[in-house]
Amino acid sequence: MGHPSGRKIGAREPADLDWEHVFDRAAERGVAMEINAQPDRLDLTDVNARLAHSKGIRFVIDTDAHATTNLEYIRYGVFQARRAGSPRPTS
C-alpha cells in the first residue's frame, strides 16, 4: 500500500485512519506497507510502522525519487523501519 497516510511534513497532515483496523486487514490479505523515505514524507511514521510490524506486515522501502540525487534518501526509510523493530534483511 503506497503513501498509506498521505502526509507531507509541514504541508499536509496524515489521514485520520483507524490504523489498527487498516493493519489488521493488510495482515489478513498479505499487503505490504510502503515506507516512503522522502524526508518530507517519511510515510509510515515510526509509530505506525511499529504497529504494522507487530502485526507481521512486511515493508517496502522506497525513495519516491524524482531525480537520481534522491536515491540517497533510502537511508531515511531504513532508519524508519529499524525504529519500527524491523530486522535487517538477510538476503
Side-chain angles (χ1 to χ4, degrees):
M1 181 175 171
H3 295 304
S5 80
R7 84 175 180 163
K8 195 165 187 179
I9 298 170
R12 182 176 53 231
E13 291 297 315
D16 184 21
L17 301 175
D18 178 348
W19 290 106
E20 185 92 25
H21 180 73
V22 169
F23 297 145
D24 283 342
R25 297 295 286 170
E28 288 172 12
R29 296 168 186 249
V31 173
M33 289 287 156
E34 175 193 37
I35 293 179
N36 185 314
Q38 277 288 341
D40 62 345
R41 291 193 183 273
L42 289 175
D43 191 7
L44 294 169
T45 66
D46 54 347
V47 171
N48 282 337
R50 183 174 291 279
L51 178 59
H53 177 70
S54 75
K55 294 180 177 294
I57 293 173
R58 296 177 57 150
F59 299 113
V60 175
I61 304 170
D62 69 85
T63 61
D64 197 18
H66 293 249
T68 55
T69 56
N70 297 159
L71 295 174
E72 68 187 41
Y73 295 154
I74 195 69
R75 69 175 164 253
Y76 303 126
V78 172
F79 295 156
Q80 226 35 0
R82 299 294 292 148
R83 280 193 298 273
S86 190
R88 181 182 300 256
T90 56
S91 59

